[in-house]
Amino acid sequence: MKQHQQHLWWQDGIIYQIYPRSFQDSNDDGIGDLKGILRRLDYLRELGIKAIWISPIYPSPMADFGYDISDYKGIWPGFGTMEDFDELLRQVHAAGMKLILDLVPNHSSDEHPWFVESRSSRDNPKRDWYIWKDPRPDGSPPNNWLACFGGSAWEWDEQTKQYYYHAFLTKQPDLNWRNPEVEKAMLDIIRFWLDKGVDGFRIDAMWHMIKDEQLRDNPQNPDYEPTMATYNQLLPVYSTDQPEMHAIVSRMRRLLDEYPERLMIAEIYLPVNRLVAYYGAPHQREAHLPFNFMLISLPWEPKTVATAIDEYEAALPDDGWPNWVMGNHDQPRITSRIGQQQARVAAVLLLTLRGTPTLYYGDEIGMRDVPIPQDEVQDPQGLNMPEKNLSRDPERTPMQWDNSGNAGFTGGKPWLRLDRTWMRVNVQQQKQDKFSTLCLYQRLIRLRQQEPSLMTGAYRPVYSDHQVIAYLRQSEGYAGFLILLNLTHRPCYFRPVNIKFKGRVVIDTFPEQESLQVENTIDLGGDEAMVIKLEQWQ
Ligand code: NOJ
């Protein structure tokens, strides 16, 4: 048997995203915190994940729940103290895991001292740290750009009689990355956390960071439909993904590379060909993992998904490591997009594809989007566009741990209401039930982490039709795996022509099927996905 080729921790391992407000409260104020995360480290270790990515924990007015930072080198008191953070980092490392912070370099809070200074007068030294522009002659904003959370992206400042640009909320002014002082300050912040021993960063909104120098108007989007966010009325061709961005990312990467094995993940919503550009080139490396959101954005249709996987594999640069994301704090949960049963099929897909999977907290127990009454909506995206059903609160509800009060999340009043099903959908219940989604995840993770073929082996597409996707995973010298996924609720057959195969089902969304010997033809039930250890494939 050949020696399994060495990979880095972020290639072998699985990333788990924690939305800190909602994971575990330790002081009964209804909001999750760092001590709460610490309390749940054993759960994460048992689950088998390698790295925890925590959404922002810095001081913040919380207009966008932490994505509006007022001090990049501190901890929001609601989450704890710097001592709590240091302790968490120590314990994460002691448990053999890694900790990834969320960094938001595109914008700060309007309450950050930098912006307070910047807006104080036109000749303040920090004026040019943000994007200030004169109005057009008729007093209107400098161009037609729209904010992601609704309305114009320009906010008028009465005191200094100029507009400032904000890609998100008015309380999130965009930093001016054309100013080298901004870059210097941000690199200094990155270094601060790296020196503490943080293992990497998930960089927020990376494709927004540089804007067209001439600030040209964005064109209309011919495919806009009124159900979409107003932001989508225009195509953001001049406000995002500008060529100058790549040099900046590569300088960030160079800084990370001064430290051993640190990871840069980039949040980028772009079509595949432009996404993969953010891996950089051999002489100018950029992000290790530009987040691949295909499984979030594509329709759950087997041919579409299979084709997208192939396109992604083909588009990757030679040394670009793939990654897959099924959910996050900005998107409806997988169960609410494709249903509970198909979400189990999706789990098999996510954990058997080639590349680093990122799990969103709660998906491993099949949490669903929770209906939040209108008068309890907290998310600014939901509040600003109430008629569009775009609130992100439903996918941010407290983790369901057990059947004690508030699912074991808090002894106080949770900041967002829990799903009514928490008494039966929770970690404690599912641990005891071998048919549960949690057990499915745990076993998939265990198998993936034991089997080089699944962890880092090659991906080979085999077949897809209107119901099924089939592919192989194989490391040289090891038994390979055939993965079969039925993306529909109806039974179907897998009968490849001119291929003879033999194997044993090792994991199935219907565990009754496990240990079954299979040969040449397989019939799959509706919502069934199987991982087959191959003895023969020719
Ligand atoms: C992306 C983050 O994931 C989202 O939650 C946030 O609202 C925006 N960036 C702005 O920071």
Side-chain angles (χ1 to χ4, degrees):
M1 211 179 257
K2 283 203 179 153
Q3 195 58 37
H4 171 49
Q5 198 193 334
Q6 280 297 306
H7 284 81
L8 297 169
W9 63 266
W10 49 267
Q11 298 175 310
D12 282 350
I14 294 167
I15 299 170
Y16 184 95
Q17 181 190 356
I18 288 180
Y19 196 66
R21 289 181 82 83
S22 300
F23 198 58
Q24 177 65 59
D25 182 13
S26 74
N27 60 358
D28 293 347
D29 65 355
I31 296 174
D33 45 44
L34 297 177
K35 281 203 168 104
I37 298 175
L38 190 60
R39 202 197 282 172
R40 296 297 184 180
L41 282 190
D42 281 349
Y43 167 75
L44 296 173
R45 205 172 28 82
E46 275 168 36
L47 186 60
I49 58 108
K50 180 70 185 178
I52 304 167
W53 148 37
I54 315 184
S55 284
I57 50 175
Y58 316 96
S60 161
M62 294 287 158
D64 189 19
F65 297 109
Y67 285 93
D68 49 323
I69 298 171
S70 53
D71 172 6
Y72 287 86
K73 291 184 180 172
I75 302 292
W76 184 58
F79 290 141
T81 61
M82 193 55 94
E83 287 69 49
D84 295 338
F85 175 80
D86 292 339
E87 180 59 15
L88 177 64
L89 184 59
R90 232 188 336 267
Q91 300 272 359
V92 167
H93 286 164
M97 294 192 286
K98 307 280 183 182
L99 192 64
I100 298 167
L101 286 187
D102 208 316
L103 187 77
V104 189
N106 177 68
H107 48 270
S108 71
S109 162
D110 64 340
E111 295 179 35
H112 193 294
W114 296 340
F115 189 73
V116 174
E117 276 197 51
S118 182
R119 84 181 323 169
S120 67
S121 76
R122 284 198 185 202
D123 52 15
N124 184 281
K126 292 264 177 346
R127 184 67 170 182
D128 189 44
W129 280 43
Y130 294 83
I131 302 170
W132 291 97
K133 289 286 166 223
D134 289 331
R136 290 195 236 201
D138 65 355
S140 63
N143 65 22
N144 70 350
W145 295 359
L146 296 171
C148 296
F149 294 151
S152 166
W154 295 97
E155 180 71 4
W156 177 246
D157 179 59
E158 191 48 43
Q159 191 187 320
T160 57
K161 305 262 185 280
Q162 275 189 320
Y163 283 96
Y164 71 84
Y165 176 73
H166 58 91
F168 297 92
L169 297 174
T170 53
K171 282 188 69 61
Q172 292 168 300
D174 278 44
L175 284 152
N176 176 15
W177 275 84
R178 293 185 182 277
N179 181 338
E181 287 176 32
V182 167
E183 179 174 320
K184 195 163 161 288
M186 206 54 78
L187 292 182
D188 173 62
I189 287 157
I190 293 177
R191 194 180 282 285
F192 170 83
W193 293 103
L194 289 174
D195 285 341
K196 272 190 174 287
V198 159
D199 299 289
F201 297 91
R202 173 264 191 193
I203 312 272
D204 187 74
M206 185 184 272
W207 79 118
H208 279 271
M209 282 168 62
I210 280 260
K211 324 352 162 166
D212 175 43
E213 191 143 37
Q214 302 169 47
L215 299 179
R216 283 168 279 187
D217 275 355
N218 279 327
Q220 298 291 323
N221 174 8
D223 300 321
Y224 179 73
E225 284 172 27
T227 51
M228 297 174 176
T230 48
Y231 175 74
N232 296 109
Q233 285 168 353
L234 305 178
L235 294 173
V237 296
Y238 292 115
S239 49
T240 62
D241 192 29
Q242 297 302 295
E244 296 93 324
M245 196 51 221
H246 294 284
I248 295 175
V249 187
S250 77
R251 288 195 289 274
M252 285 182 162
R253 170 66 181 268
R254 237 180 284 149
L255 171 54
L256 260 71
D257 284 348
E258 288 178 27
Y259 298 74
E261 294 199 15
R262 306 300 165 98
L263 170 67
M264 192 199 314
I265 305 174
E267 187 210 23
I268 298 169
Y269 285 88
L270 285 177
V272 144
N273 59 330
R274 283 154 63 202
L275 175 72
V276 297
Y278 285 83
Y279 280 102
H283 61 281
Q284 185 173 300
R285 298 207 183 275
E286 297 180 35
H288 299 95
L289 300 177
F291 260 154
N292 164 13
F293 295 125
M294 273 178 175
L295 297 179
I296 285 181
S297 49
L298 287 175
W300 193 243
E301 198 277 313
K303 275 208 169 291
T304 311
V305 173
T307 307
I309 296 169
D310 291 346
E311 276 171 0
Y312 178 65
E313 281 277 351
L316 286 169
D318 283 347
D319 54 355
W321 186 252
N323 76 92
W324 300 94
V325 185
M326 198 100 78
N328 62 37
H329 62 294
D330 295 328
Q331 307 292 340
R333 284 191 183 268
I334 185 75
T335 48
S336 295
R337 282 188 277 128
I338 64 175
Q340 292 284 351
Q341 291 305 318
Q342 280 296 313
R344 292 165 61 86
V345 175
V348 178
L349 177 68
L350 178 68
L351 291 163
T352 58
L353 281 172
R354 190 176 80 94
T356 306
T358 298
L359 309 185
Y360 183 50
Y361 86 95
D363 280 355
E364 74 274 23
I365 55 168
M367 275 173 65
R368 59 168 194 156
D369 283 3
V370 178
I372 304 292
Q374 282 286 336
D375 59 349
E376 291 176 22
V377 173
Q378 312 229 20
D379 175 29
Q381 180 166 275
L383 291 170
N384 289 357
M385 292 173 274
E387 68 294 348
K388 302 212 179 208
N389 199 14
L390 289 174
S391 169
R392 298 168 294 179
D393 293 336
E395 63 261 23
R396 296 176 175 181
T397 59
M399 179 69 177
Q400 296 156 205
W401 293 106
D402 54 39
N403 43 23
S404 69
N406 293 318
F409 166 69
T410 181
K413 183 176 184 296
W415 77 283
L416 266 183
R417 63 166 59 204
L418 284 133
D419 191 9
R420 286 199 193 94
T421 63
W422 62 260
M423 287 282 264
R424 61 186 166 86
V425 182
N426 63 52
V427 170
Q428 189 190 32
Q429 289 280 336
Q430 294 199 7
K431 267 192 177 165
Q432 298 153 12
D433 172 8
K434 75 168 187 169
F435 297 102
S436 69
T437 297
L438 180 58
C439 285
L440 177 66
Y441 264 91
Q442 210 148 23
R443 293 171 55 238
L444 280 166
I445 292 173
R446 215 163 284 157
L447 182 70
R448 184 185 187 281
Q449 300 312 92
Q450 278 165 6
E451 293 284 354
S453 291
L454 289 174
M455 191 157 59
T456 52
Y459 162 86
R460 239 174 76 201
V462 169
Y463 176 78
S464 69
D465 62 21
H466 63 293
Q467 287 192 279
V468 73
I469 300 179
Y471 53 88
L472 294 178
R473 294 294 316 284
Q474 188 155 40
S475 252
E476 236 190 294
Y478 289 87
F481 289 83
L482 168 66
I483 321 294
L484 281 179
L485 312 154
N486 181 354
L487 269 64
T488 72
H489 307 307
R490 296 190 53 223
C492 63
Y493 297 101
F494 173 68
R495 241 182 315 214
V497 259
N498 299 332
I499 292 174
K500 296 224 172 306
F501 70 91
K502 231 190 246 175
R504 188 170 54 86
V505 179
V506 284
I507 292 193
D508 197 299
T509 50
F510 291 82
E512 292 84 349
Q513 299 275 81
E514 287 166 13
S515 300
L516 198 74
Q517 291 289 332
V518 289
E519 198 171 340
N520 300 338
T521 301
I522 297 176
D523 36 300
L524 289 148
D527 304 313
E528 182 162 15
M530 23 171 104
V531 182
I532 297 159
K533 191 163 188 167
L534 288 172
E535 287 144 27
Q536 182 201 341
W537 179 271
Q538 60 190 35

